[in-house]
């Protein structure tokens, strides 16, 4: 079984990268082969609404017809058994790169057909891990769940079982004194990092293991 973990954060070694890596470790513990991807290493763009993937003459082509830095990765993702997307939440949504790869990967499989929703013929498990500096109460109050549920809905319709987990109250920086952050309690953030984040890593590990079964 092949599991690909995609870090959709511009930070290659911080919160999101670490939870995605732990999810892959969980998958490896069940015997899966894994690959970790830093998405910001790639040069690409989101869907341009060319609609080439919806042309009748392209009805058997499952991948985006655009050719750029992400093209080989999209093909590899389509052949995987499971995908783990990790993204921080910026302004109430996933990062621009996360949104772009969702568009480029998922939209070509989507059908405007009465017969079926998708061209995908296999079974692909997907999981999303969302990291954010706000706490769970604020996440709920701001209705971030709408974003999470929507991604889960589309990926379930197109590919098969999908789920997500959230990682709240993360540290944004190692030294808060260098930045204008007087609304934030650095000591509370350090405490959360020391006490809560290890449990989040454990949950990510369990999620990865569950994907493999």
């Amino acid at each position: 079984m092949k599991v690909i973990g995609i870090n959709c954060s511009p930070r290659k070694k911080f919160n999101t990268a670490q939870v995605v890596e732990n999810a892959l470790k969980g998958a490896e513990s069940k015997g899966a082969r894994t690959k970790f991807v830093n998405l910001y290493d790639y040069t690409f763009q989101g869907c341009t609404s060319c609609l080439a993937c919806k042309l009748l003459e392209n009805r058997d082509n499952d991948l985006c017809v655009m050719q750029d830095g992400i093209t080989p990765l999209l093909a590899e993702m389509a052949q995987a058994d499971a995908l783990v997307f990790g993204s921080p939440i910026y302004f109430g949504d996933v990062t621009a790169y996360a949104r772009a790869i969702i568009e480029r990967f998922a939209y070509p499989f989507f059908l405007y057909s009465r017969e079926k929703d998708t061209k995908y013929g296999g079974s692909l498990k997907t999981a999303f891990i969302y990291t954010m500096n706000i706490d769970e109460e604020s996440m709920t109050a701001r209705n971030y769940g709408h974003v999470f549920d929507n991604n889960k809905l589309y990926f379930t319709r197109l590919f098969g079982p999908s789920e997500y987990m959230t990682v709240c109250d993360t540290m944004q920086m190692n030294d808060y004194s260098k930045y204008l952050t007087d609304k934030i309690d650095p000591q509370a953030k350090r405490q959360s990092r020391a006490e809560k984040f290890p449990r989040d890593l454990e949950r990510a590990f369990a999620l990865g293991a569950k994907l493999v079964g």
Side-chain angles (χ1 to χ4, degrees):
M1 187 169 182
K2 177 69 175 291
V3 182
I4 300 176
I6 304 170
N7 174 32
C8 303
S9 168
R11 300 186 182 189
K12 299 179 182 180
K13 298 183 181 296
F14 212 42
N15 303 309
T16 309
Q18 290 175 36
V19 290
V20 171
E21 287 174 337
N22 256 47
L24 294 183
K25 289 178 182 177
E28 290 169 0
S29 74
K30 297 294 184 179
R33 295 176 295 115
T34 66
K35 178 177 181 176
F36 177 80
V37 173
N38 274 312
L39 194 58
Y40 276 74
D41 285 342
Y42 294 77
T43 301
F44 71 106
Q45 63 185 45
C47 175
T48 60
S49 194
C50 70
L51 296 178
C53 61
K54 304 296 177 268
L55 290 171
L56 292 175
E57 63 189 59
N58 286 337
R59 59 175 175 246
D60 295 324
N61 183 10
D62 297 334
L63 297 178
C64 178
V65 300
M66 291 174 59
Q67 298 292 310
D68 58 15
I70 208 72
T71 299
L73 178 60
L74 294 175
E76 192 173 359
M77 290 166 62
Q79 295 299 316
D81 299 290
L83 303 175
V84 180
F85 295 91
S87 177
I89 298 299
Y90 294 162
F91 283 95
D93 210 330
V94 295
T95 63
Y97 266 40
R99 185 65 205 174
I101 198 170
I102 287 172
E103 293 171 356
R104 291 285 302 282
F105 178 68
Y107 186 58
F109 289 103
F110 181 80
L111 293 175
Y112 297 109
S113 171
R114 295 188 181 95
E115 296 181 2
K116 56 183 180 178
D117 290 331
T118 180
K119 289 193 285 185
Y120 187 74
S123 179
L124 176 66
K125 296 180 180 179
T126 57
F128 292 81
I129 304 177
Y130 303 101
T131 65
M132 63 207 83
N133 73 310
I134 61 174
D135 58 25
E136 293 183 7
E137 183 178 355
S138 297
M139 177 188 71
T140 301
R142 298 178 188 184
N143 196 29
Y144 283 7
H146 170 73
V147 174
F148 312 151
D149 290 337
N150 205 43
N151 287 333
K152 177 180 178 178
L153 171 65
Y154 274 108
F155 273 73
T156 298
R157 287 174 60 187
L158 295 175
F159 304 110
S162 183
E163 57 186 297
Y164 67 84
M165 63 170 278
T166 58
V167 178
C168 298
D169 201 20
T170 58
M171 287 187 66
Q172 290 177 284
M173 53 207 69
N174 292 319
D175 186 355
Y176 282 86
S177 67
K178 294 180 179 180
Y179 304 89
L180 180 58
T181 55
D182 56 340
K183 290 176 63 176
I184 299 174
D185 181 349
Q187 180 57 36
K189 284 293 185 182
R190 284 191 288 269
Q191 183 176 349
S192 177
R193 179 75 176 185
E195 297 177 358
K196 180 180 175 298
F197 195 65
R199 296 196 297 272
D200 293 326
L201 293 176
E202 291 175 358
R203 291 193 298 122
F205 185 97
L207 176 62
K210 180 180 178 183
L211 285 174
V212 179

